[in-house]
């Protein structure tokens, strides 16, 4: 026990639920706020759980009055690039306006430490070959990235006004699952490459589409930097310790500095699962940059972040364990086939 309480907004989502477990393991008290628009109730362990929206001022006042919150972690955002291109208003409303509501409530209740889930999507197309540092120009290619960048800027302005201190963590491609196999990546609908590939491996889908085979990369498919969800959690814990100890406001990339193409990911998924994953070429997906690779030296140097699951095979192995168990749970819930 360390007598500090963290409010995890969006604690029923993929990364939020892993964070709740990490905080509890580290001895923090945790309160979860989630509206279950995208999250799953069964991913939240036995901690105080408040169901509601960030736009509900009365509810936020109640949460901050009732619990002695020392810091807030904010995972509650829409995060699908293609969806954001089709529905920008919903993305700005949910990702920017709701964050303003949350920050206003924090300000009213003098809660001053904020850890923000930002994204590689703030950068847009890289203007350098290879990995991007935090000082790379930010020019999002989609509304999702623009909403994350808008909040990052808002945090800088709030910090300058003495309202709060913050750490913004720019995740590259979050992947994998808790080593216990009890928590994992479950979206509805699923749009992410690794879960979809593993669902094909499990026979839940017939084939995987490859969105774009004419990108300017070695095999024509997009390169992404996959970072394990447990390593993301460790980075948040370090950021939290830093803010609680009076550390500086900061923006950090979280990635492994290595890009894997869509075809390479599928190959590794086939190897790990021992199954064939049939694919079919498809049009490029709107808003997708060709290459996104992180230079994460800054958080390694400043906070001592040491990712444990840097290798894609290990990342996919943890995801495969979860997906197999999940398929078993779903099969059991559905009862015997008729
Ligand atoms: N892809 C396919 N077929 C699929 C699904 C994905 O080819 O069925 C490709 C995508 O086009 C992309 C790569 O696989 O090139 C990875 O796609 P994901 O959907 O798994 O992840 P994204 O890179 O689109 O998104 C992730 C995060 C976002 C974040 C983004 C940064 O989920 O929150 O990185 O651009 F914004």
């Amino acid at each position: 026990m360390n007598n500090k309480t963290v409010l995890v907004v969006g604690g029923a989502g993929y990364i939020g639920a892993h964070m709740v477990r990490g905080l509890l393991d580290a001895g923090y008290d945790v309160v979860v706020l989630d509206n279950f628009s995208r999250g799953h109730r069964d991913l939240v362990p036995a901690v105080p759980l408040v169901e509601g929206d960030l736009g509900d001022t009365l509810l936020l006042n109640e949460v901050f009055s009732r619990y002695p919150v020392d810091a807030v972690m904010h995972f509650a955002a829409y995060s699908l690039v293609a969806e954001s291109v089709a529905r920008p208003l919903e993305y700005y409303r949910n990702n920017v306006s709701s964050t303003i509501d949350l920050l206003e409530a924090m300000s009213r209740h003098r809660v001053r430490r904020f850890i923000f889930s930002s994204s590689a999507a703030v950068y847009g197309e890289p203007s350098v070959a290879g990995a991007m540092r935090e000082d790379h120009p930010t020019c999002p290619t989609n509304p999702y990235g623009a909403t994350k960048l808008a909040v990052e800027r808002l945090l800088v302005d709030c910090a300058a006004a003495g309202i709060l201190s913050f750490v913004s963590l720019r995740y590259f491609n979050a992947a994998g699952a808790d080593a216990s196999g009890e928590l994992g990546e479950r979206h509805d609908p699923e749009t992410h490459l690794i879960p979809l590939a593993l669902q094909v491996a499990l026979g839940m889908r017939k084939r995987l589409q490859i969105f774009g085979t004419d990108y300017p990369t070695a095999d024509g498919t997009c390169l992404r930097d996959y970072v394990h969800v447990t390593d993301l959690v460790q980075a948040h814990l370090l950021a939290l310790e830093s803010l609680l100890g009076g550390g500086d406001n900061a923006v950090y990339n979280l990635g492994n500095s290595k890009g894997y193409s869509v075809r390479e990911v599928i190959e590794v998924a086939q190897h790990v699962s021992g199954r064939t994953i049939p694919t079919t070429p498809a049009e490029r997906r709107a808003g997708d940059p060709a290459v996104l690779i992180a230079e994460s030296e800054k958080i390694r140097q400043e906070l001592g972040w040491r990712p444990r699951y840097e290798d894609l095979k290990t990342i996919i192995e943890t995801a495969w364990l979860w997906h197999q168990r999940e398929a078993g749970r779903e099969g059991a819930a559905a009862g015997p086939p008729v």
Side-chain angles (χ1 to χ4, degrees):
M1 276 298 144
N2 59 30
N3 294 323
K4 297 289 183 201
T5 300
V6 180
L7 175 65
V8 180
V9 181
Y14 165 45
I15 304 171
H18 282 82
M19 190 71 237
V20 171
R21 173 177 290 241
L23 285 164
L24 293 174
D25 288 348
Y28 289 93
D29 288 335
V30 177
V31 178
V32 169
L33 173 64
D34 204 297
N35 65 5
F36 300 111
S37 66
R38 308 242 159 155
H40 305 277
R41 203 177 289 268
D42 61 298
L43 294 182
V44 183
V47 297
L49 171 60
V50 182
E51 180 170 357
D53 290 321
L54 293 175
D56 185 341
T57 308
L58 290 179
L59 182 75
L60 285 187
N61 283 343
E62 203 180 302
V63 170
F64 285 113
S65 304
R66 179 155 177 205
Y67 300 102
V69 176
D70 295 289
V72 176
M73 293 185 179
H74 182 25
F75 297 90
Y78 294 160
S79 62
L80 303 178
V81 167
E83 185 181 67
S84 79
V85 174
R87 289 150 55 179
L89 289 171
E90 281 172 51
Y91 269 68
Y92 278 85
R93 166 76 64 209
N94 190 62
N95 293 3
V96 182
S97 301
S98 294
T99 304
I100 295 173
D101 293 329
L102 174 61
L103 296 176
E104 279 177 347
M106 286 176 60
S107 169
R108 277 196 300 278
H109 293 268
R110 298 189 164 69
V111 176
R112 306 243 180 257
R113 301 176 192 95
F114 191 73
I115 299 180
F116 178 57
S117 302
S118 188
S119 169
V122 299
Y123 293 114
E125 291 288 353
S127 61
V128 294
M132 287 181 282
R133 294 192 337 192
E134 289 81 354
D135 58 4
H136 183 283
T138 46
C139 188
T141 53
N142 53 66
Y144 167 67
T147 65
K148 290 289 172 182
L149 189 58
V151 173
E152 279 198 12
R153 175 60 206 236
L154 173 62
L155 293 176
V156 170
D157 292 338
C158 288
I163 294 170
L164 50 72
S165 55
F166 73 87
V167 174
S168 289
L169 296 172
R170 294 176 176 166
Y171 314 159
F172 281 63
N173 284 56
D178 184 71
S180 68
E182 288 164 18
L183 291 175
E185 185 167 9
R186 193 202 304 157
H187 300 108
D188 190 14
E190 189 52 78
T191 64
H192 292 89
L193 179 61
I194 293 175
L196 285 174
L198 298 180
Q199 287 179 2
V200 175
L202 282 165
M204 296 162 68
R205 295 173 191 266
K206 284 212 163 63
R207 53 184 56 245
L208 185 69
Q209 290 184 298
I210 299 183
F211 295 136
T213 52
D214 59 349
Y215 282 101
T217 59
D219 69 13
T221 66
C222 289
L223 297 186
R224 292 288 181 273
D225 183 346
Y226 294 87
V227 54
H228 197 276
V229 63
T230 303
D231 289 328
L232 295 182
V233 166
Q234 290 309 316
H236 284 73
L237 290 172
L238 292 168
L240 177 61
E241 280 167 28
S242 167
L243 289 182
L244 289 171
D248 290 338
N249 302 310
V251 178
Y252 296 117
N253 283 342
L254 296 177
N256 286 311
S257 311
K258 187 162 170 28
Y260 291 93
S261 74
V262 173
R263 288 194 200 280
E264 285 173 325
V265 170
I266 295 165
E267 234 165 71
V268 176
Q270 293 194 125
H271 176 72
V272 166
S273 65
R275 318 264 172 97
T276 303
I277 300 175
T279 60
T280 184
E283 290 295 303
R284 291 182 179 195
R285 202 171 58 175
D288 270 352
V291 178
L292 282 174
I293 304 172
E295 164 68 76
S296 296
E297 211 36 48
K298 190 175 168 209
I299 189 166
R300 291 168 194 253
Q301 293 292 333
E302 293 184 9
L303 300 188
W305 185 54
R306 298 281 175 274
R308 284 177 52 205
Y309 301 89
E310 287 170 283
D311 165 56
L312 183 65
K313 179 166 166 279
T314 317
I315 293 176
I316 294 184
E317 277 168 356
T318 63
W320 177 235
L321 176 66
W322 153 262
H323 278 276
Q324 285 173 294
R325 291 197 184 182
E326 183 76 346
R329 280 188 284 265
E330 278 171 18
V338 283

